[in-house]
Amino acid sequence: MQVMDRIKEEEKATAVGMSPVARRVVFVTGGMGGIGSAICRRLALAGHTIVAGCLPGYERKEEWLGAMRKDGIKVHAAEGDVANFESCASMFHNVRSIVGNVDILVNNAGITRDSLFKRMSERDWIDVISTNLNSVFNVTRQVVDGMTERGWGRIVNISSVNAIKGQFGQTNYSAAKAGMAGFSKALAQEVVKKGVTVNTVSPGYVETDLVMAIRAEVRAQIVASIPMGRLAKPEEIAAVVAFLVSEEAGYITGANISVNGGMHMM
Amino acid sequence: MAKKVAVVTGGMGGLGESITTKMADAGYQVVVTYSPSNTKYKSWLDEMKGKGYAFAAYPVDVVSFEDCGAKCAQIQKECGNIDILVNNAGITRDMTFKKMTKNDWDAVMHTNLDSCFNMTKQVMDGMVERNWGRVINVASVNGQKGAFGQTNYSAAKAGIHGFTKALALEVAKKGVTINTISPGYIGTKMVTAIPKEILDSKILPQIPVGRLGNPEEIAGLIIYLCSEEAAFVTGANISINGGQHMY
Ligand SMILES: NC(=O)c1ccc[n+]([C@@H]2O[C@H](COP(=O)([O-])OP(=O)(O)OC[C@H]3O[C@@H](n4cnc5c(N)ncnc54)[C@H](OP(=O)(O)O)[C@@H]3O)[C@@H](O)[C@H]2O)c1
């Protein structure tokens, strides 16, 4: 189908409240976290088949799957360590045997190990670079050839405002997240003629457990530094991802979309 | 006044040679590091001696945190405190993502990005204590715009600038500046080895200025960033690409 036809079909279907014409297989790394969960829910509502990735032996997996099921959202779970190439290879081997080829990949897994550079250990550096940046290689490697062969694919990398502006106490995280954007732009060029788009989303502060765990006074300070005067809802990040993976967004590639309430504009 | 000590990693390479000689001309005491696999370091040092440059030189594997630690300690003992660090060592392992192996990815990440951590970590406390320091990280236009066949290199070079900005914030009040420079196509041996017809038909047309950059122009920018006048420049990414990519 031509691009315009696909978009028209899509418009027709959504106008009458039907699920989209093209049902895709989505893989979200770190899919059970704050932003990851919102992305899974949003793309499930759009009618896609969802696989949420998590670490092997992740103790909240069953609880999370149960909560999703209770809300009538059907998702699959896959266990693998995104910082480990072999673990990713076997995870996607399993994923393919259960739901088929992955059409949409959201690289969302990430960790922080904040400390001043002065105190940062080599371990803190390596852990953050491996889980946030090398993971993008490890995971994307497993799915991109299939996307180019089939002539359709979407890759969305979740970066951070702190990659764009730098953050005190986050030399490792700022480096890893900024690296993601370099990767996205290079890969976007390589697959640009194959129907595959690669983009980066850079959220500001999002209302996840992680941020809500920050002491109330400190959180108030953070909120005061945001022109919009509030945190983002995870659903607002998910909405941008949902747009980027849609048919309509097929011309957007190599882009970086900031979703930060005006915190850092460029 | 004692000369400021500047360490240039990969100081015998295409850009490195211009950076080291021009910095020496500008009055810095330049310490050159080379990779452990470099077999030509002796002849390079002799050649430089012939031109009147007496460089201290050390083999430093920038990929190894331990080696960086040991060698920087040795340098500080033998040459004095390190005031300036130019993270210039870098490699490419170009190929499309389709063909890229995990090794190609890791080698480029280690040498271009982790190296900035490994080296900067050794010198930053001293700079902060002495209330003066300059770190210049050499990235690339391809980190800014992305390049076909360079998913690894684009990721590593873009990552460098995230590191630069975060560290610049941490030490901004301590007289230490951290900056990134992003060269475009520079006329080093590597680039001038490209066949003339490809240079003329493919590469030069992308460059509004209509020529390659000179390594000396990169060195000039670094010397500016080291100067007192540049004390207000920190966390910046300075493009030096003849207009090839503006944003
Ligand atoms: N030339 C350009 O047009 C251009 C454009 C944009 C950015 N850059 C960047 O500029 C920097 C210098 O590039 P160049 O053109 O001068 O390339 P080059 O001649 O190949 O120099 C790179 C240097 O890196 C050193 N190196 C590599 N691996 C190392 C390791 N494990 N430990 C220690 N040192 C290591 C090499 O040392 P040995 O020689 O001792 O082996 C070499 O001197 C690089 O970061 C490159 O990415 C260059």
Side-chain angles (χ1 to χ4, degrees):
Chain A
M1 237 193 298
Q2 292 303 302
V3 173
M4 260 334 275
D5 296 339
R6 281 209 300 252
I7 292 175
K8 286 213 179 93
E9 291 286 306
E10 195 85 29
E11 277 173 359
K12 250 193 283 168
T14 41
V16 294
M18 276 162 51
S19 56
V21 180
R23 285 165 190 276
R24 310 282 187 185
V25 174
V26 179
F27 192 95
V28 183
T29 71
M32 302 182 189
I35 296 176
S37 299
I39 294 172
C40 289
R41 282 171 185 272
R42 181 68 164 80
L43 297 183
L45 288 177
H48 301 302
T49 300
I50 313 295
V51 187
C54 66
L55 270 173
Y58 182 64
E59 69 266 13
R60 288 183 48 209
K61 185 178 108 179
E62 289 308 323
E63 184 194 325
W64 185 86
L65 284 170
M68 286 289 174
R69 237 174 271 133
K70 216 172 115 232
D71 292 348
I73 294 167
K74 210 174 149 278
V75 289
H76 303 267
E79 296 188 4
D81 179 0
V82 292
N84 180 300
F85 188 77
E86 282 72 36
S87 176
C88 290
S90 67
M91 169 167 69
F92 277 91
H93 184 79
N94 294 338
V95 168
R96 267 189 297 273
S97 67
I98 296 166
V99 293
N101 295 312
V102 172
D103 307 300
I104 296 172
L105 169 65
V106 184
N107 282 310
N108 164 74
I111 58 166
T112 55
R113 291 280 181 278
D114 296 358
S115 73
L116 289 183
F117 186 66
K118 191 179 169 63
R119 297 204 203 96
M120 189 176 287
S121 69
E122 194 197 4
R123 190 75 261 148
D124 296 330
W125 174 269
I126 291 174
D127 284 350
V128 168
I129 299 289
S130 304
T131 309
N132 295 276
L133 182 54
N134 294 334
S135 63
V136 173
F137 175 88
N138 296 340
V139 176
T140 307
R141 177 79 278 169
Q142 316 300 332
V143 299
V144 72
D145 290 351
M147 291 179 185
T148 54
E149 274 155 30
R150 294 187 302 277
W152 200 94
R154 296 282 188 265
I155 298 170
V156 181
N157 296 318
I158 309 294
S159 177
S160 163
V161 64
N162 290 347
I164 302 176
K165 72 168 194 53
Q167 175 61 29
F168 198 100
Q170 292 195 325
T171 45
N172 48 4
Y173 187 78
S174 302
K177 291 298 195 183
M180 274 182 144
F183 172 83
S184 297
K185 288 183 272 191
L187 184 60
Q189 294 185 31
E190 293 186 17
V191 297
V192 72
K193 294 210 170 78
K194 312 281 185 174
V196 180
T197 68
V198 189
N199 292 290
T200 309
V201 173
S202 297
Y205 284 93
V206 184
E207 224 172 75
T208 57
D209 293 348
L210 207 86
V211 171
M212 297 316 279
I214 300 174
R215 272 190 299 133
E217 316 88 89
V218 180
R219 216 169 56 229
Q221 267 174 21
I222 292 174
V223 170
S225 75
I226 302 168
M228 212 169 275
R230 66 172 179 86
L231 303 172
K233 301 272 177 217
E235 290 73 18
E236 292 176 302
I237 309 305
V240 178
V241 175
F243 170 64
L244 284 173
V245 305
S246 72
E247 293 301 335
E248 291 178 314
Y251 205 62
I252 302 178
T253 194
N256 178 22
I257 304 194
S258 287
V259 193
N260 62 29
M263 210 180 140
H264 187 80
M265 308 189 191
M266 52 169 285
Chain B
M1 215 176 82
K3 286 185 171 185
K4 288 208 152 72
V5 175
V7 170
V8 181
T9 67
M12 301 183 183
L15 291 186
E17 180 173 317
S18 287
I19 296 169
T20 50
T21 53
K22 280 208 65 155
M23 287 190 82
D25 293 344
Y28 294 99
Q29 183 189 337
V30 179
V31 178
V32 183
T33 80
Y34 54 95
S35 69
S37 60
N38 183 327
T39 51
K40 290 188 250 163
Y41 71 95
K42 268 221 167 71
S43 59
W44 187 87
L45 285 170
D46 287 343
E47 187 194 327
M48 288 297 131
K49 204 169 273 162
K51 293 181 180 164
Y53 297 102
F55 292 121
Y58 296 81
V60 182
D61 184 4
V62 296
V63 166
S64 158
F65 185 73
E66 284 70 35
D67 196 41
C68 291
K71 298 297 168 45
C72 285
Q74 191 187 348
I75 292 171
Q76 311 236 37
K77 212 163 121 229
E78 293 171 4
C79 309
N81 291 322
I82 298 170
D83 304 300
I84 296 166
L85 170 64
V86 183
N87 283 314
N88 164 72
I91 58 166
T92 53
R93 290 279 182 280
D94 296 357
M95 67 198 68
T96 58
F97 188 69
K98 198 179 167 65
K99 303 213 187 79
M100 189 176 288
T101 66
K102 175 74 175 147
N103 277 343
D104 300 321
W105 175 269
D106 285 341
V108 168
M109 286 297 148
H110 292 327
T111 312
N112 294 277
L113 181 57
D114 295 334
S115 62
C116 290
F117 176 85
N118 294 343
M119 283 299 292
T120 309
K121 190 70 190 160
Q122 317 304 334
V123 301
M124 189 48 53
D125 288 355
M127 290 180 180
V128 166
E129 273 155 32
R130 295 187 302 277
N131 229 358
W132 201 95
R134 299 281 188 266
V135 177
I136 291 113
N137 296 320
V138 182
S140 164
V141 64
N142 290 345
Q144 298 172 297
K145 72 170 193 52
F148 194 103
Q150 292 195 323
T151 46
N152 49 3
Y153 188 78
S154 302
K157 292 299 194 183
I160 285 179
H161 191 51
F163 172 73
T164 293
K165 287 183 282 193
L167 185 57
L169 285 172
E170 292 187 18
V171 297
K173 294 209 169 72
K174 310 286 184 181
V176 181
T177 69
I178 324 287
N179 291 289
T180 303
I181 66 169
S182 292
Y185 281 101
I186 310 301
T188 55
K189 282 173 211 129
M190 197 173 76
V191 172
T192 49
I194 298 171
K196 188 174 170 355
E197 58 275 19
I198 294 185
L199 262 179
D200 288 349
S201 67
K202 294 257 156 63
I203 293 177
L204 292 180
Q206 300 175 35
I207 307 172
V209 171
R211 64 169 175 85
L212 300 175
N214 295 316
E216 291 73 21
E217 294 173 302
I218 306 299
L221 174 58
I222 291 174
I223 289 166
Y224 162 69
L225 287 171
C226 292
S227 71
E228 295 304 332
E229 287 179 317
F232 208 57
V233 182
T234 194
N237 185 358
I238 305 194
S239 295
I240 175 161
N241 62 28
Q244 192 197 340
H245 185 72
M246 309 189 196
Y247 77 120

